[in-house]
Amino acid sequence: MHQRTLGTNGPTVSALGLGCMGMSAFYGTTDEGEAIATIHRALELGCTLLDTAEMYGPHTNEQLVGRALAGRRDEAVLATKFGIRWAPTDEDPTRRLIDGTPENVRRSIEGSLQRLGTDHVDLYYQHRIDPNVPIEETVGALAELVAAGKVRHLGLSEASAETIRRAHAVHPIAAVQTEYSLWSRDVEAEVLPTLRELGIGLVAYSPLGRGFLSGRFSSTDELDENDFRRHQPRFSDENIEANRRLLAKVAEIAAEKDCTSGQLALAWVLAQGEDIVPIPGTKRRAYLEENLAAADVRLTAEDLARIEAEVPAPAGERYDRSGMTTLNH
């Protein structure tokens, strides 16, 4: 598979990566055997960037990725994240805290390395920015991990342009991860220009609009009871109909390009720049193979102009109210 480099001094990775979150959490039923087979198939096909996080599970997704990489660690560019801690109480069993303290940086990396079965992480992200801890303190602690050889490259997730600048002044940031797709384009206003100015790569999560742009479901009734998308604004009763119109236009253009809706959506993200690497998540080999084939879909300038003109904007925010408060710090 064609490769791309994340940032001026960042890692070289496959043009498409693999988001592993749904293998363990948030997206309904799980099947560890199929998940591990999916990771192995990704490596066979040259998909090297694997993305996980401490909070996925929590912890169980890192453990799964670690088992999948046993004896194959050198084949992968391994990315994980810290900074969202589970802190359940009797009143709120799913309570989470954002913690960017240096103490949590040092504590988190040791847990991740143990669960992943490795002595280093290739790309270590701050999962969400802690508004109560200066970014300079957090990145200073992360830089110590680089000096110690426990982390190769640093990243941020869902950070504002100002925070990215401040972080990059302390230690080079290789990549910023944020949601980016045909229906989540707010990164284009300030963050993406800042990344390009500073020589930082963009890792695009949910490039398939949490699966919706692939056409694999059109109603939350088709999702498992414990699938978090059931509670996301873009899939609510008041927004889903407008978003089905968006999907219908994507499907129309995809049919003309002789590809699937999901492949068109991924090809669009890939076409936005060589410094962008989408990481569609899946827990099945069949969908993995379909996603990776998007690298072979070529969109012309005319195709891109048509998508720009004809695909409508989405209805609804990309997270619920509490989720939106954690973004763009």
Side-chain angles (χ1 to χ4, degrees):
M1 176 181 287
H2 175 66
Q3 295 189 317
R4 295 183 168 187
T5 300
L6 288 173
T8 306
N9 300 301
T12 298
V13 299
S14 50
L16 285 150
L18 174 61
C20 298
M21 180 182 80
M23 296 175 177
S24 304
F26 303 111
Y27 283 97
T29 57
T30 58
D31 179 340
E32 179 165 320
E34 178 63 18
I36 289 176
T38 300
I39 292 173
H40 289 168
R41 183 62 175 147
L43 297 176
E44 290 167 10
L45 293 172
C47 174
T48 58
L49 179 60
L50 304 180
D51 184 88
T52 182
E54 176 184 46
M55 73 153 287
Y56 298 162
H59 300 162
T60 53
N61 194 240
E62 286 185 326
Q63 292 166 348
L64 183 150
V65 172
R67 286 192 290 274
L69 289 181
R72 306 184 68 165
R73 172 66 183 89
D74 292 344
E75 297 176 47
V77 178
L78 184 54
T80 192
K81 313 176 199 73
F82 80 96
I84 303 178
R85 287 198 293 113
W86 289 85
T89 64
D90 290 341
E91 294 77 25
D92 185 1
T94 63
R95 178 171 172 258
R96 289 173 277 182
L97 298 176
I98 295 176
D99 186 348
T101 60
E103 294 76 18
N104 192 46
V105 170
R106 292 187 280 269
R107 179 172 56 239
S108 295
I109 190 62
E110 297 304 328
S112 288
L113 292 175
Q114 181 179 23
R115 289 185 291 271
L116 291 163
T118 185
D119 64 356
H120 74 280
V121 170
D122 297 299
L123 180 56
Y124 199 42
Y125 294 100
Q126 184 175 5
H127 204 159
R128 290 291 186 272
I129 304 303
D130 186 343
N132 299 312
V133 177
I135 191 65
E136 291 82 1
E137 292 184 18
T138 307
V139 177
L142 288 168
E144 294 173 9
L145 302 184
V146 176
K150 295 178 180 181
V151 170
R152 296 283 192 265
H153 303 282
L154 301 184
L156 304 174
S157 179
E158 293 290 3
S160 69
E162 179 192 359
T163 295
I164 294 164
R165 289 184 188 280
R166 289 169 54 196
H168 193 65
V170 176
H171 186 281
I173 302 298
V176 168
Q177 184 172 138
T178 189
E179 186 171 350
Y180 187 40
S181 71
L182 272 172
W183 79 350
S184 291
R185 298 178 59 176
D186 43 326
V187 68
E188 294 173 348
E190 293 184 7
V191 170
L192 188 53
T194 301
L195 299 185
R196 288 178 167 157
E197 176 191 334
L198 299 175
I200 300 172
L202 174 66
V203 174
Y205 77 84
S206 292
L208 291 171
R210 308 197 185 282
F212 187 75
L213 296 176
S214 69
R216 289 177 194 143
F217 71 98
S218 60
S219 166
T220 54
D221 295 337
E222 301 168 51
L223 303 174
D224 291 343
E225 287 293 332
N226 60 339
D227 192 311
F228 89 118
R229 290 172 291 186
R230 282 178 167 267
H231 310 291
Q232 294 301 297
R234 289 184 178 169
F235 306 121
S236 66
D237 290 342
E238 63 264 35
N239 293 326
I240 191 72
E241 195 54 49
N243 290 329
R244 286 190 188 119
R245 289 194 288 275
L246 181 156
L247 178 59
K249 179 54 70 171
V250 170
E252 175 190 326
I253 299 172
E256 295 178 22
K257 296 293 294 183
D258 197 26
C259 65
T260 67
S261 296
Q263 287 169 341
L264 183 85
L266 291 172
W268 180 87
V269 177
L270 287 167
Q272 301 312 302
E274 286 286 322
D275 53 349
I276 299 173
V277 175
I279 51 167
T282 187
K283 48 190 176 181
R284 298 184 182 90
R285 282 168 285 182
Y287 292 154
L288 168 80
E289 292 172 1
E290 178 185 327
N291 290 343
L292 295 184
D296 297 322
V297 176
R298 295 286 172 261
L299 298 180
T300 66
E302 291 76 15
D303 293 329
L304 293 169
R306 180 182 175 196
I307 290 168
E308 188 78 29
E310 296 184 17
V311 174
E317 297 279 14
R318 55 190 180 99
Y319 283 102
D320 62 18
R321 186 173 301 163
S322 64
M324 292 297 292
T325 65
T326 69
L327 307 180
N328 205 39
H329 286 294

